[in-house]
Amino acid sequence: MGKLSGLRHLFMTLFLHNFASFMVIPAITDVTMAALCPGRDECSLAIYISGFQQAIIGLGSFVMMPLVGNLSDKHGRKALLTVPITLTIFPLVRFQIVMYGLNSRGKGNMAILAYSRTRSFFYAYYILKILTAMFCEGSVHCLSLAYVADNVPEGRRASAFGILSGIGSCAFVCGTLSTRFLSTASTFQVSTAMAMLSAVYMRVFLPDSIINDNLSTPIISEGKSDGVANQNEEPDKKMQVFKTMPSMEDMLALLKSSLTFSQAAIVSFVSNLADVGLHASLLFPLQYYLKARFHFNKDQFADLMVITGVAGTISQLLLMPILAPALGEERLLSVGLFFSSAHMIFYSIAWSFWVPYAAAMFSLFYVFSQPCIRSIVSKQVGPCEQGKAQGIISGIGSFANVASPLAFSPLTALFLSERAPFYFPGFSIMCVGFASMIAFVQSLMIRAIPPISSQRVGNCNYMETA
């Protein structure tokens, strides 16, 4: 950690942002069901709505992530980080209005009106959340990874990515643990305050990273700009804005530039497909499964998440910096995916309330997978392509947000209802585990090769098409 002290302001910004985001997760399921299906432990409407939300957010993120990463290569990481960190504040403010409606429900003769208003406020929050998350979902983590890649040599990059994920896990623990001591209404108030603090701290203290003095690399190559300098400058600037969006050909060319990159992209998609199916951004399918199966409430969800977060934090901050240089990212990736599949299968066959708590301890190992994928990808591109490469991988992962809810949300709702073809409440979670096993098999095909990023230094005109 001492060697990475130059990243302390990034780590603090990420901690504050994740703290604000994670602390509302244990409460949001209860609030959603109270708004949509009051007094019930099962609610198909809530499952379908959360699945639709994840799908739309994933589709938007699939388009936005490569653009965000590409823009950060040209205009700096800090400028692009400002946007999602600030936008995160607005849905939290809106959700407090939903909480006000819930608290006013049942008072005097206004109970029916309060219920109607609560649903209206919830849907307003729901729409606002979708619109902001299409840009914000994953972009802070994506840009943070690119920032780390700018400032950390290749030999220590896997450990640095692991520590970055460990900081996120630490925020996860602190945020969810805090919900044990706060009321639901206070939880959203504190979350809003922390989100504001993260934006202010980032703008004041975080220095921008310099990518070999090429942040302002022109999009049009010198050969293409001969004879047009000092002529039609304004139209040229407008064209550059439109050409900042990487085309499908650009993304395919980058994916084909390295077999290792392509394999890592496949593993990223399949593993994210499983992750989204299990807990995605709000843990909806798993929470509804545990709520229906064992009547878990907000506090028990928080306990489960704290166990997962503590184990993941210890692993990423202490174990991964030791294991990554010894085993290599490729082997460590396979280890993480194997335990990811195992812990999902244990959830699906849980026969007692303590089994989910035991399965949560598997996070000691399955947290290795995402930092390893990012490190493998980072070493396959040049310094001026880090934002774009991380954006493409984030976009591919976000596409799983589209496919996974379409498959797993109806499956979850079906097997938690009375219309299930056979009794197996955890059947959808079992299918998620099988998807993770496919990613594990694919990861075994990745072979360690010398990083090529050092061979591509100075080749910053990556938007130039052949």
Side-chain angles (χ1 to χ4, degrees):
M1 287 290 289
K3 296 179 180 179
L4 301 176
S5 59
L7 300 174
R8 62 185 181 277
H9 294 308
L10 174 68
F11 292 156
M12 179 57 72
T13 299
L14 189 67
F15 176 85
L16 293 173
H17 172 78
N18 286 344
F19 183 90
S21 300
F22 288 138
M23 71 180 301
V24 302
I25 294 178
I28 202 166
T29 299
D30 287 342
V31 174
T32 300
M33 294 190 67
L36 300 179
C37 304
R40 295 169 53 187
D41 284 336
E42 299 178 14
C43 184
S44 296
L45 176 62
I47 296 175
Y48 283 119
I49 282 182
S50 63
F52 176 78
Q53 180 185 40
Q54 292 172 20
I56 297 300
I57 291 172
L59 187 62
S61 299
F62 175 68
V63 176
M64 294 301 299
M65 287 302 99
L67 174 60
V68 169
N70 202 22
L71 285 170
S72 73
D73 285 336
K74 300 180 179 301
H75 303 293
R77 316 298 183 202
K78 182 176 180 178
L80 269 296
L81 272 170
T82 302
V83 181
I85 288 179
T86 303
L87 287 177
T88 303
I89 299 170
F90 296 102
L92 293 172
V93 173
R94 184 67 188 182
F95 208 91
Q96 292 185 50
I97 301 177
V98 178
M99 291 304 306
Y100 174 78
L102 287 173
N103 291 335
S104 64
R105 182 184 295 172
K107 295 181 179 179
N109 296 323
M110 300 297 292
I112 296 177
L113 177 60
Y115 174 63
S116 176
R117 290 182 59 197
T118 299
R119 296 195 74 166
S120 299
F121 287 145
F122 176 80
Y123 287 129
Y125 156 80
Y126 174 76
I127 294 171
L128 181 61
K129 174 66 175 177
I130 289 177
L131 294 176
T132 56
M134 287 171 64
F135 184 87
C136 301
E137 191 85 10
S139 60
V140 173
H141 186 61
C142 169
L143 294 170
S144 299
L145 290 166
Y147 189 100
V148 171
D150 296 338
N151 295 278
V152 177
E154 291 173 353
R156 300 208 309 266
R157 203 167 287 171
S159 300
F161 285 167
I163 291 172
L164 183 72
S165 297
I167 297 296
S169 297
C170 184
F172 180 86
V173 172
C174 295
T176 53
L177 188 61
S178 66
T179 63
R180 295 285 293 177
F181 308 101
L182 296 172
S183 66
T184 302
S186 298
T187 296
F188 286 94
Q189 293 171 357
V190 174
S191 176
T192 304
M194 296 299 290
M196 293 178 178
L197 180 60
S198 69
V200 173
Y201 184 92
M202 186 269 298
R203 291 303 305 171
V204 173
F205 295 105
L206 182 68
D208 209 341
S209 58
I210 303 299
I211 314 171
N212 293 332
D213 299 322
N214 284 314
L215 282 176
S216 300
T217 302
I219 300 172
I220 304 176
S221 65
E222 294 180 2
K224 293 183 179 180
S225 60
D226 289 344
V228 296
N230 301 321
Q231 180 179 344
N232 299 325
E233 292 184 359
E234 290 302 320
D236 286 347
K237 290 179 180 179
K238 293 180 181 179
M239 285 298 295
Q240 289 185 16
V241 173
F242 286 107
K243 293 184 73 174
T244 301
M245 177 66 186
S247 66
M248 186 60 67
E249 289 78 9
D250 295 322
M251 291 189 283
L252 289 176
L254 189 57
L255 286 170
K256 293 178 180 179
S257 64
S258 165
L259 177 61
T260 302
F261 193 113
S262 302
Q263 292 173 327
I266 294 172
V267 172
S268 177
F269 173 76
V270 181
S271 65
N272 275 279
L273 188 74
D275 289 341
V276 172
L278 180 64
H279 42 70
S281 57
L282 295 177
L283 293 165
F284 275 124
L286 178 61
Q287 284 195 7
Y288 290 129
Y289 162 64
L290 294 177
K291 191 175 185 67
R293 185 79 171 85
F294 302 114
H295 305 287
F296 272 32
N297 58 27
K298 174 180 75 73
D299 291 339
Q300 289 168 313
F301 286 137
D303 291 340
L304 188 62
M305 293 164 66
V306 165
I307 293 172
T308 302
V310 168
T313 300
I314 293 173
S315 180
Q316 289 169 322
L317 293 180
L318 300 180
L319 294 181
M320 192 167 180
I322 298 173
L323 295 178
L327 299 179
E329 294 98 323
E330 295 78 14
R331 291 182 181 177
L332 205 57
L333 171 61
S334 298
V335 171
L337 290 172
F338 174 80
F339 279 95
S340 177
S341 176
H343 106 279
M344 293 175 187
I345 292 174
F346 267 97
Y347 272 131
S348 70
I349 61 175
W351 57 90
S352 180
F353 74 94
W354 60 265
V355 176
Y357 294 101
M361 292 300 298
F362 281 51
S363 63
L364 275 169
F365 302 102
Y366 74 69
V367 293
F368 294 150
S369 57
Q370 288 303 318
C372 288
I373 291 174
R374 299 300 186 143
S375 179
I376 291 170
V377 167
S378 177
K379 293 181 179 180
Q380 300 303 309
V381 297
C384 299
E385 298 172 313
Q386 291 295 328
K388 182 182 179 183
Q390 298 296 344
I392 288 175
I393 295 298
S394 295
I396 290 172
S398 296
F399 186 67
N401 284 21
V402 180
S404 185
L406 295 177
F408 296 119
S409 291
L411 206 59
T412 302
L414 175 62
F415 278 88
L416 292 181
S417 70
E418 297 178 355
R419 299 178 291 105
F422 53 89
Y423 182 75
F424 193 169
F427 181 75
S428 62
I429 309 298
M430 175 73 77
C431 294
V432 169
F434 289 148
S436 186
M437 184 60 70
I438 294 174
F440 164 70
V441 173
Q442 176 63 36
S443 71
L444 296 176
M445 303 178 187
I446 299 178
R447 294 290 180 265
I449 62 173
I452 63 175
S453 59
S454 59
Q455 304 171 18
R456 302 175 70 164
V457 174
N459 182 22
C460 297
N461 293 321
Y462 55 82
M463 286 298 296
E464 178 183 351
T465 56

